Amino acid sequence: MSSAHGSTLTREDTDLDTQLRGMLAAQRPYNVVVWNDPVNLMSYVAWVFRSYFGHSKERAHKLMLEVHHDGRAVVATGPKEKAERDVTAMHNYGLQATLEEA
């Protein structure tokens, strides 16, 4: 907003700005990253990717190999709340998973 006395922001302007930033952050995509671990069998990890995310057998196998060889793989991308649910689900399956901005 500008006025004859210069440019000033009202409290309402800054509150709206904060709300808008929060809404944009919530819409920003997030990656679900699954990390390699010494515990789970590769066949189990691929099965989780197929069962939970609905990946094809080929895609699940490719992601599992990426986890195994590279130490991590992005297995899904989506809104923050969904990605947080996916990370929790991976933990419930016994897999190590984290969230990162896409």
Side-chain angles (χ1 to χ4, degrees), residues 57-78:
K57 188 174 185 177
E58 295 76 20
R59 176 85 175 132
H61 185 76
K62 179 183 178 298
L63 290 169
M64 173 275 296
L65 287 176
E66 197 174 317
V67 169
H68 182 69
H69 293 297
D70 300 339
R72 62 172 261 157
V74 174
V75 298
T77 301

Side-chain angles (χ1 to χ4, degrees), residues 8-46:
T8 59
L9 289 175
T10 65
R11 181 176 176 92
E12 182 179 332
D13 291 334
T14 57
D15 287 347
L16 289 173
D17 215 31
T18 301
Q19 288 175 358
L20 180 59
R21 273 197 301 275
M23 287 170 51
L24 291 174
Q27 293 174 357
R28 188 176 309 133
Y30 284 78
N31 292 330
V32 177
V33 180
V34 172
W35 298 87
N36 193 28
D37 66 62
V39 178
N40 291 296
L41 296 174
M42 292 188 291
S43 58
Y44 174 72
V45 173

